[in-house]
Structures are given as C-alpha cells and as structure tokens.
Amino acid sequence: MAVALDRIRVGSAPDSWGVWFPDDPQQVPWQRFLDEVAEAGYSWIELGPYGYLPTDPARLADEVKKRDLKVSAGTIFCGLHRGPSEWESTWEQVGRVASLTRAMDAKHLVVIPSFWRDDKTAEILEPPELTTEQWGHLAKGMERLGRQVRDTYGLDIVVHPHADTHIDTEEHVERFLDSTDSSLVNLCLDTGHYAYCGGDSVKLIETYGERIGYLHLKQVDPDILADVVAGGIPFGPAVQRGVMCEPPAGVPELGAVLTAAQKLDVDLFAIVEQDMYPCEPDKPLPIAVRTRKFLRSCGA
C-alpha cells in the first residue's frame, strides 16, 4: 500500500492540454481546459501562459470557483543573466502575471530562464554556457526578483530548470543554488526537464531539500531522449517526437520522487505537466484521467 503523501498537493496545468502560448489555433479553448482538468479529478491548476485564461481577476475567479478549482501559481520567463538592462522588461511582465496570481490567492511565481536556442527553429540565440559575469548577473538578478516579488506581491519565486536554458543540468542547477540566497530564491523542480538534462530528481531533493519549493511532475521516454541527445535536437521538436511521455512509462519513477518530497515534511505543490504541443484536442483528457489515477496509486 502506498504511503499517504499528505504534504503533497497535486494539480495540473494548461501545458498538459498542449497549451504553450496565450493564443494559438492548435490549442484547446480555455473553457475546455478548465472543464476537463476538473473532470480529470484535479483541484489545483496553474495559470499557464499569461492571456490564455481570462486576465480579469473577477471573471477568472468565477470560472475557477464554479469548477471547484484553485490556482497554485503563475509563470514568467526572463533573461536576467544579461544584466540590469533586463530588469525593466522583466518587472513589467511580473506586474501583469503576479497581480493576477495574487488575486487568485496563489502564493508562487514560477520563473523560467530564457531559452538559448529557439524551440521552433533551433536557431542558436546565445551561447549555451554563461560567462562568470553572466552567472553573477543571474544570481543577483534572481535574488532581486525574489525580494521585490515578495515585498510587492507577497509571492515566493521558484526558479524552474528547463531544457535549452542556462539552468538545466545537475552542474548548472547546483551552481545556481549555491550562488543564491535560500531566503529569496528556491526551485521549481521539474522532474521531466531535470531527467531530460541528465539529472537525478531524488538525489536533488535529498541533497538540496531546503531549496525545493515546488514540483512539476513529468516523465521522459529514455529511448526517444537518447535519439534527441544523439541528434542534438532542440526541445520543441523533441516534444513533438513524444520525449515527454505519459506516466508511468518513463523516467524518473514518480513514486520515488514523491516519497522523497514527502520526507521533507513541508507542504509542496506537485503540478502535472506533460509537454504536448501541439496535440489533438481529444488526446489530453484520457491521459489526465489515467495520470491522476496513477498518482493516487502512489499515495498522492
């Protein structure tokens, strides 16, 4: 019998319905996402790309409440490694997303570093390795962001290691954590992205447990990943190949991840994100139902 994971709050996100952009004809309408995520048995959601769900707080609150849903986080992207010149545009984005996130009574802002290569065209936008100076900008910028987001909006930032960004591999994640103040900056550990980049989620939780502030649950198909790595394939096309697969078919083993997270003895969100852009509109719901059933079997 699975151990009761009573410190873990499970949810899902627009990403699991193939939503990557605020508006795209290949994506399901937001009403359908909300209907189906509730039908699948989840009670928590993320906002997804700003502008996909209604941005009027009163309307969004009504739409969420009538489906017995609650919001756990909003998301922003930023390139703070480029230095202070990035601050103004980053803070402008934060203002929109954090205001809506706070209005939904959520407590977290997921921060994703900017991509170093285009996930559609594979164009190299920046070198994949940061200079020492850029690492300094990144650490100081994230600490400033954490402080001001908390002071202004009452939210905690959780930085999301992500494929094809500068915070991806075990080495980069550990360097980032060792360079930042735990009172200002913690991690959104995405189990799929970390495995995609060669990391061990259970090891990271056991080693840096006090820095784990939030979880994204996903799995990687190891066979497809091997081809992706061998071919130097960018993240977007890799997703189209099915590199992020339905649990429990891939790695890491989510039961072990959730058990390790439970041992931290803190309340954590664990939001399912199965990257599927683009996908057929009827594909996500059955997967979401099966995934929720699987997570219940793990004790979540």
Side-chain angles (χ1 to χ4, degrees), residues 37-203:
V37 74
E39 182 182 341
Y42 296 97
S43 54
W44 293 93
I45 62 165
E46 289 185 4
L47 295 178
Y50 181 80
Y52 174 66
L53 294 177
T55 56
D56 175 69
R59 185 182 185 200
L60 181 57
D62 180 61
E63 295 287 353
V64 167
K65 184 179 179 181
K66 73 185 185 183
R67 294 172 175 87
D68 293 323
L69 296 170
K70 292 170 283 189
V71 175
S72 60
T75 302
I76 68 154
F77 291 81
C78 65
L80 293 173
H81 66 282
R82 300 185 193 112
S85 62
E86 286 287 307
W87 181 259
E88 191 173 328
S89 62
T90 299
W91 193 249
E92 183 182 355
Q93 182 191 175
V94 167
R96 294 190 298 270
V97 178
S99 295
L100 185 60
T101 303
R102 180 177 63 179
M104 295 301 104
D105 292 326
K107 303 299 182 189
H108 294 90
L109 187 67
V110 178
V111 179
I112 300 179
S114 57
F115 285 40
W116 54 260
R117 67 176 168 187
D118 190 285
D119 61 333
K120 284 188 172 179
T121 68
E123 177 190 359
I124 303 294
L125 306 172
E126 297 180 77
E129 292 288 338
L130 297 179
T131 65
T132 301
E133 181 184 34
Q134 288 173 322
W135 273 110
H137 287 320
L138 179 63
K140 290 183 180 66
M142 286 296 190
E143 288 177 339
R144 181 183 179 188
L145 187 65
R147 183 182 293 107
Q148 292 198 208
V149 165
R150 183 178 298 170
D151 290 349
T152 308
Y153 297 102
L155 306 177
D156 290 330
I157 70 165
V158 281
V159 178
H160 182 324
H162 196 293
D164 290 358
T165 77
H166 295 107
I167 307 177
D168 51 2
T169 62
E170 179 179 325
E171 179 188 359
H172 287 166
V173 169
E174 291 186 355
R175 180 169 181 172
F176 176 73
L177 290 175
D178 291 343
S179 302
T180 50
D181 184 339
S182 62
S183 70
L184 298 171
V185 180
N186 284 307
L187 214 63
C188 168
L189 170 58
D190 184 304
T191 61
H193 279 279
Y194 201 51
Y196 184 101
C197 298
D200 180 333
S201 289
V202 171
K203 178 185 172 187

